[in-house]
Amino acid sequence: MGSGCRKQSSLSRNTTATNINFKWPVERVITVDSTRLGVSTIITNLNVPWEITWGPDNQIWCTEQDGTISKINPVTGEKKVLVKITDVYRKRLGLLSMALHPNMKKWPYVFVNYTYLKGEVIFSKLVRYTYSHEALTQPKILLEFPAYYGHMGSRVVIASDGKIMWATGDGAEATNAQDTNLLSGKVLRLNIDGTIPADNPVKGSPVWASGFRVPQGMVYNPNGMLYIAEHGDATDDEVNIIQKGHNYGWPQVQGFVDLPEEKAYHTAHTITEPLKAWTPTIAPAGMDFYSKNSIPELQNSLLLTTLKESDLRVLQLNKEGTAVVSEKILLDQQYGRLRDVCVSPAGDVYVSTSNRDWNPGPGFPQPTDDRIIRIFKITDKDKLNLATAPQNFVTATPANSVSEAALPAGQVVYQQYCASCHKADGNGVAGTFPSLRSSGKVSGEPKDLIPFILKGSSGSKKTEGSESQMPAFHFLNDQQLAEVVTYIRSEFGNIKSGTTAAQVAEARSLK
Ligand code: HEC
């Protein structure tokens, strides 16, 4: 993703991939309106690719969380390692985002962000490498700050004015995001030598915008508008347009300014609302902008990969780029978690999976994960190829058409709001999200369990075996909460007596 995909197109016109014969078998066919798209895998056995971006040499430049930066040839699938960064601290995170300078002939710079250990403390740093002779050398730290192994974002892009834009996560301390003295939970802006631009909102500070939780998608459209996608907590994943000096609200405002507390905060601080917010959450990751002619149905859209929902969202924008007018879903749960996307000058879309990360979904990782897939318009020429390839016709799914009518109500609530952490089978993720199967809270009294789910665990002591916090679910209504409590007690605690909406209402009224 990132501006790299678009920016480099001018350098590479002489060798766009349109006339090249790709050898990859077509694994799936997706029909979007009148266009048929083919899906092929171009490389497997990657180790959690975080960034894929199109280079001026028509190669896909790729970071893997273990510290590897490589170039992948989309035609041959050949991978050439440019550097293996050795001081990456790989716990949950590691090497994350990367941006290539849009004018690499003049400025042969590659900017990367990763976590490392400075003494005993985890730091997140932005490092500039110099590219020459098929290698990245001369690392120079441009900026760093104390970090964490979760919630670090991140994404880096280069603006058309040559400035570095770096989106950072809140480091799992929500209050960081509103503290403009801290660099976590922000969009930061720097010159390419790491100095602070004179026209930043606050003199001497890299902070360009504040109030973010976990931004993982960032891209400019051709008109220079900057979009960001970020993870909400239990509700409200967001896509925002980033403007100089604006505050995007986390943690006081989640999604739109609609609750009484949020309205009060907005009155005092002026919060910028998102273009779009998702509840239940989808876990949005990398994002790119589609402005090519090749696939007309994708034009003027943000392409957004998701982890939890494991799909590719096409967010079509209005002409001004200020509103999402439609949302389509491609690749619905077919390749597992999707982390990043980039568009080639010829208009092909490349997507990378993230099934070897710390939180894989059911059935993943598959033996050859992770992979990069190519989505392209099928032309007459490709039909030959298709006739011999296994076919799997899939239609683009309209958003929110989840086929869950057959499931019990409590299971639907559980799938939408709980399974991303505690997993469909209730076993959780060792060391991070507790199992609900052996939980005394689940098999104990509803009058203790309900308030816990309403309030979450923020502020309370963490349970043994968990390293993060349970979000508050007070926004679910009494009926939904009663259903999910009934479901987890029956399914994971083997207690068959149901919980009623009246019991939830009572627990709520006790505060
Ligand atoms: C973002 C991840 C996340 C989501 C989503 C989530 N939980 Fe949790 N949950 C946690 C974490 C982390 C803990 C441990 C909290 C602690 O110990 O501080 C926890 C603890 C619990 C516990 C107590 C387990 C024990 O034995 O201590 C229950 C019960 C529970 N969650 C139920 C739910 C239900 C029901 C939902 C959906 C409505 C849900 N959780 C959604 C992360 C999550």
Side-chain angles (χ1 to χ4, degrees):
M1 71 105 260
S3 62
C5 285
R6 181 175 58 80
K7 294 275 153 45
Q8 264 103 46
S9 57
S10 57
L11 292 178
S12 45
R13 232 166 247 149
N14 48 341
T15 48
T16 50
T18 358
N19 305 319
I20 296 169
N21 223 338
F22 286 83
K23 63 177 181 182
W24 315 111
V26 178
E27 294 161 19
R28 291 167 197 281
V29 175
I30 309 174
T31 308
V32 191
D33 299 340
S34 58
T35 304
R36 282 203 308 162
L37 304 177
V39 182
S40 302
T41 296
I42 64 155
I43 187 170
T44 56
N45 293 305
L46 297 173
N47 198 341
V48 192
W50 190 278
E51 180 77 47
I52 52 172
T53 193
W54 197 266
D57 47 7
N58 280 317
Q59 309 277 302
I60 296 170
W61 292 52
C62 173
T63 64
E64 291 168 81
Q65 270 191 340
D66 64 357
T68 308
I69 303 178
S70 52
K71 294 201 296 191
I72 293 159
N73 183 325
V75 182
T76 64
E78 187 193 345
K79 171 180 168 185
K80 180 160 183 36
V81 175
L82 303 175
V83 68
K84 175 84 205 264
I85 304 174
T86 51
D87 68 336
V88 166
Y89 179 62
R90 184 158 191 216
K91 177 171 177 183
R92 276 181 57 173
L93 300 181
L95 174 58
L96 304 177
S97 46
M98 169 175 70
L100 313 187
H101 196 283
N103 185 352
M104 282 185 82
K105 279 213 178 89
K106 187 162 179 209
W107 307 105
Y109 295 145
V110 173
F111 305 89
V112 297
N113 167 231
Y114 62 93
T115 42
Y116 81 115
L117 281 182
K118 195 171 182 178
E120 309 258 277
V121 183
I122 304 173
F123 267 68
S124 177
K125 64 179 167 180
L126 182 69
V127 179
R128 186 183 84 190
Y129 276 86
T130 301
Y131 176 66
S132 79
H133 300 102
E134 305 279 287
L136 291 171
T137 57
Q138 304 171 55
K140 173 182 159 70
I141 300 181
L142 300 186
L143 190 64
E144 62 175 350
F145 61 90
Y148 190 60
Y149 54 77
H151 289 218
M152 289 318 300
S154 73
R155 215 43 87 168
V156 184
V157 299
I158 309 298
S160 56
D161 64 359
K163 302 290 188 262
I164 307 168
M165 308 303 285
W166 176 21
T168 64
D170 71 3
E173 286 294 343
T175 51
N176 290 353
Q178 291 294 324
D179 184 340
T180 46
N181 294 314
L182 299 176
L183 302 186
S184 27
K186 305 294 174 338
V187 172
L188 307 172
R189 180 171 180 259
L190 292 175
N191 295 316
I192 54 171
D193 60 359
T195 57
I196 294 169
D199 58 344
N200 270 12
V202 175
K203 204 176 162 15
S205 165
V207 175
W208 182 255
S210 59
F212 302 100
R213 186 171 175 274
V214 187
Q216 289 192 10
M218 183 158 62
V219 67
Y220 279 97
N221 76 359
N223 299 330
M225 287 166 78
L226 180 61
Y227 298 87
I228 206 169
E230 64 160 331
H231 291 206
D233 190 13
T235 66
D236 294 297
D237 289 336
E238 298 179 3
V239 167
N240 288 290
I241 296 177
I242 300 306
Q243 289 177 274
K244 177 180 181 177
H246 284 212
N247 183 343
Y248 292 82
W250 171 254
Q252 275 79 5
V253 177
Q254 305 187 35
F256 293 90
V257 179
D258 45 14
L259 302 175
E261 318 84 86
E262 295 181 334
K263 287 180 179 155
Y265 196 78
H266 176 56
T267 306
H269 295 89
T270 313
I271 300 306
T272 303
E273 293 191 307
L275 275 192
K276 186 166 175 67
W278 289 267
T279 302
T281 53
I282 57 175
M287 184 162 70
D288 205 348
F289 191 84
Y290 198 90
S291 54
K292 308 292 175 198
N293 297 322
S294 164
I295 309 173
E297 290 83 356
L298 303 192
Q299 266 173 15
N300 195 33
S301 297
L302 292 164
L303 306 182
L304 176 65
T305 54
T306 74
L307 301 164
K308 180 179 164 189
E309 282 304 311
S310 298
D311 57 25
L312 178 66
R313 306 243 158 170
V314 180
L315 309 176
Q316 193 125 39
L317 301 176
N318 64 355
K319 223 170 76 227
E320 298 75 30
T322 52
V324 175
V325 294
S326 77
E327 180 180 15
K328 284 197 183 75
I329 296 177
L330 308 184
L331 302 178
D332 194 10
Q333 322 232 334
Q334 288 158 354
Y335 288 94
R337 291 157 68 79
L338 304 182
R339 181 73 67 178
D340 202 15
V341 50
C342 90
V343 179
S344 77
D348 293 348
V349 176
Y350 290 84
V351 173
S352 61
T353 67
S354 189
N355 293 317
R356 293 203 177 271
D357 66 18
W358 64 282
N359 197 16
F364 290 96
Q366 291 173 357
T368 55
D369 275 326
D370 281 303
R371 68 177 81 204
I372 296 174
I373 58 178
R374 169 179 179 244
I375 305 171
F376 58 99
K377 181 176 173 171
I378 294 173
T379 62
D380 292 343
K381 189 183 71 170
D382 294 310
K383 275 184 186 151
L384 279 175
N385 204 348
L386 271 184
T388 53
Q391 292 213 24
N392 184 349
F393 287 86
V394 181
T395 315
T397 321
N400 303 328
S401 71
V402 198
S403 58
E404 55 203 10
L407 300 179
Q411 187 171 356
V412 173
V413 179
Y414 185 80
Q415 293 290 2
Q416 290 183 326
Y417 294 99
C418 321
S420 57
C421 296
H422 297 292
K423 304 295 156 196
D425 60 10
N427 284 330
V429 175
T432 308
F433 303 127
S435 166
L436 300 184
R437 289 191 172 271
S438 51
S439 161
K441 276 210 181 69
V442 172
S443 53
E445 291 293 321
K447 70 171 176 24
D448 301 322
L449 176 59
I450 298 165
F452 176 78
I453 298 172
L454 283 170
K455 284 184 212 145
S457 66
S458 80
S460 66
K461 215 169 139 275
K462 289 172 189 169
T463 316
E464 203 182 329
S466 87
E467 289 188 354
S468 39
Q469 287 176 336
M470 157 91 172
F473 286 94
H474 51 71
F475 62 91
L476 295 176
N477 66 33
D478 293 347
Q479 185 59 34
Q480 289 172 307
L481 273 162
E483 285 164 357
V484 78
V485 167
T486 300
Y487 175 74
I488 61 172
R489 281 167 53 82
S490 150
E491 194 69 15
F492 308 134
N494 205 24
I495 293 170
K496 301 297 173 193
S497 61
T499 299
T500 62
Q503 281 173 287
V504 176
E506 196 191 335
R508 229 191 261 272
S509 71
L510 295 174
K511 273 277 166 192

